[in-house]
Amino acid sequence: MKVNVHAVNFAVDGKLVGYVQERMDKLEKYYDKVVSSDVYLKVEKTSDKENKVVEVKMNVPGDDFMVKKQCKTFEEAIELSAVSLERLLVKRKEKLRTHI
């Protein structure tokens, strides 16, 4: 799957990009028709500790899934986003299976 990582208002290091790619690739075992994913990493300017925002837009034939999570670290936010996407992909696969 093609994963595009967009860092908004900061420079992202290769280790984080690698982590995002690895975690998004694991989602293919739940639904293999995923075309691509756009991952937006943002740092919000707030006094709150949970200022790291991850938005994932996943392109699936006939649909787009959008998940947004805000946490203390990007890794935690990516993990929570991936878990939400797993649920969405499994639900989508089950829905398609009932129509066939």
Side-chain angles (χ1 to χ4, degrees):
M1 161 185 15
K2 185 169 177 6
V3 178
N4 301 316
V5 179
H6 308 277
V8 182
N9 298 334
F10 75 100
V12 67
D13 66 336
K15 199 168 112 180
L16 186 60
V17 172
Y19 179 76
V20 170
Q21 178 73 50
E22 183 183 313
R23 193 61 185 97
M24 291 296 127
D25 285 342
K26 287 181 182 177
L27 294 174
E28 286 191 310
K29 69 181 176 188
Y30 296 99
Y31 188 70
D32 57 354
K33 293 176 178 62
V34 177
V35 178
S36 67
S37 297
D38 291 309
V39 180
Y40 296 92
L41 306 172
K42 301 175 187 174
V43 179
E44 290 192 344
K45 290 181 173 40
T46 61
S47 58
D48 194 20
K49 292 245 189 288
E50 295 190 353
N51 65 342
K52 310 289 190 298
V53 179
V54 173
E55 289 183 28
V56 182
K57 182 181 177 198
M58 187 168 274
N59 302 318
V60 182
D63 228 344
D64 282 351
F65 296 128
M66 185 76 175
V67 174
K68 181 178 181 179
K69 298 290 178 189
Q70 185 168 348
C71 295
K72 289 180 184 174
T73 65
F74 282 121
E75 287 83 359
E76 185 183 359
I78 290 164
E79 189 60 39
L80 290 174
S81 299
V83 169
S84 295
L85 284 166
E86 282 173 15
R87 256 184 270 124
L88 288 169
L89 291 172
V90 167
K91 194 187 286 186
R92 165 113 179 145
K93 194 173 184 178
E94 292 298 318
K95 194 170 152 185
L96 286 177
R97 199 174 285 155
T98 59
H99 290 298
I100 296 175

